[in-house]
Amino acid sequence: MPGNSSRRGAVRKGASKKGATVGSGGQRRKGLAGKGPTPKASERPQHKAYRAAKASGGGRPAPRGRTQGPKRSRSGSEVVAGRNSVLEALRAEVPATTLYVAGRVESDDRVREAIRLATARGIAILETPRGELDRLTDDAVHQGLALQVPPYDYADPRDLIDPDRPGIPLVVALDGITDPRNLGAIIRSVAAFGGHGVVVPQRRSVGMTAAAWKTSAGAAARVPVAMATNLTRALEEFRKAGFFVLGLDMAGDVALPGLALATEPLVVVVGAEGKGLSRLVRETCDQIVSIPMSSAVESLNAGIATGVTLYEIDRQRSAGS
């Protein structure tokens, strides 16, 4: 119809402007540009791994290339889940900050005792929805109970060179031990036989978890555990301070009863069962000591081997005093 082209909204087909046509100006290329690599699961707020890391107290990882000194707290806080595990941790007086109890939980003797122990120690008790408890425990079988354990406050290895406790310095260092029960048993032996502390490496080693606390049977409250950024370098510092470094190994050149250095300041290095001492650590040792055993037994558990060695050192020191 004539005149329709002047109506509001009407467009004349086939009409073209004179002169140059304005292009997209690169807007399409910008729209196609990528947004960089996909963030890690632990950095995406909607991901389950992010919620688990946040619940455990872990933050974003440090940027690559940025170095740090010995960490006082090796990791974030730990959550112990399950009625038996929580009750055992409370009975062992594992340091804890919060006891989480599911709302409308079916109470039994374990729940009642856990609440009583937490109350007596001044631990905060929070009634928590089950969904939130599932998130805090990373969907573990918590049975309505969970316990928040704060990060362990590690000492510095140099603190053990001049210990506050009396007696000839005696330190145990762990090389590649990953079982927290072994660490707990070693701490218990160190306390029983006059030792002054334990050194663990920062990497590829067990840390002070709730399981280590429980196995130590309270000794972890009295024996400091230090963390070394580099175990070999820490052992060299002990040697410079006048310590002798002894490594435990089945292929040792000195049998334990014939140890002549028992009355000197000592660092006893214990390797993992099977793997033994690493090469650099072995080369740092002043002596490699073996424990005489029946031929029917190939090796001893790291915790037992440490206990036997510390007993013999304590016996020789007591006999010489």
Side-chain angles (χ1 to χ4, degrees), residues 43-311:
E43 298 176 4
R44 303 201 295 272
Q46 303 302 323
H47 199 281
K48 177 180 177 181
Y50 174 88
R51 297 192 296 271
K54 187 175 180 181
S56 64
R60 297 186 61 170
R64 293 184 180 180
R66 182 177 299 178
T67 59
Q68 299 177 345
K71 296 181 180 179
R72 289 285 176 167
S73 57
R74 179 194 183 99
S75 60
S77 57
E78 179 185 2
V79 177
V80 179
R83 299 189 180 188
N84 288 333
S85 298
V86 168
L87 185 55
E88 289 175 6
L90 289 170
R91 286 173 175 172
E93 298 187 355
V94 173
T97 55
T98 308
L99 174 65
Y100 297 98
V101 183
R104 299 181 181 180
V105 66
E106 184 178 349
S107 182
D108 61 7
D109 292 340
R110 295 171 295 176
V111 174
R112 287 189 287 271
E113 184 179 355
I115 293 175
R116 180 180 61 81
L117 291 174
T119 302
R121 291 177 51 189
I123 298 172
I125 301 175
L126 296 181
E127 184 175 347
T128 309
R130 284 191 174 270
E132 179 67 11
L133 204 52
D134 292 339
R135 185 186 68 82
L136 288 173
T137 60
D138 198 17
D139 292 326
V141 182
H142 51 71
Q143 301 173 301
L145 280 187
L147 189 68
Q148 190 88 33
V149 179
Y152 182 78
D153 188 21
Y154 290 93
D156 190 284
R158 290 169 292 188
D159 297 337
L160 303 179
I161 290 178
D162 187 16
D164 296 330
R165 294 172 57 187
I168 304 172
L170 176 60
V171 176
V172 174
L174 309 187
D175 181 22
I177 297 200
T178 57
D179 189 341
R181 293 168 297 182
N182 270 333
L183 173 57
I186 289 171
I187 292 173
R188 193 172 182 179
S189 295
V190 169
F193 298 116
H196 295 83
V198 177
V199 178
V200 296
Q202 184 173 328
R203 300 181 61 188
R204 294 186 293 275
S205 173
V206 66
M208 278 302 298
T209 63
W213 269 97
K214 287 189 292 184
T215 310
S216 74
R222 305 187 302 274
V223 175
V225 178
M227 178 172 289
T229 304
N230 184 291
L231 181 59
T232 303
R233 193 175 301 125
L235 295 177
E236 290 173 349
E237 290 185 6
F238 276 106
R239 292 183 66 190
K240 292 177 182 178
F243 283 70
F244 287 93
V245 179
L246 306 180
L248 292 185
D249 194 278
M250 289 295 299
D253 50 354
V254 177
L256 183 60
L259 180 63
L261 297 173
T263 57
E264 302 292 336
L266 294 178
V267 178
V268 178
V269 189
V270 187
E273 185 177 359
K275 294 183 179 179
L277 302 173
S278 61
R279 180 181 61 83
L280 291 177
V281 168
R282 176 184 287 270
E283 292 174 354
T284 309
C285 294
D286 295 293
Q287 284 186 348
I288 303 297
V289 180
S290 63
I291 301 175
M293 294 184 298
S294 168
S295 58
V297 180
E298 294 183 358
S299 63
L300 289 175
N301 170 276
I304 296 175
T306 305
V308 171
T309 303
L310 295 182
Y311 165 77

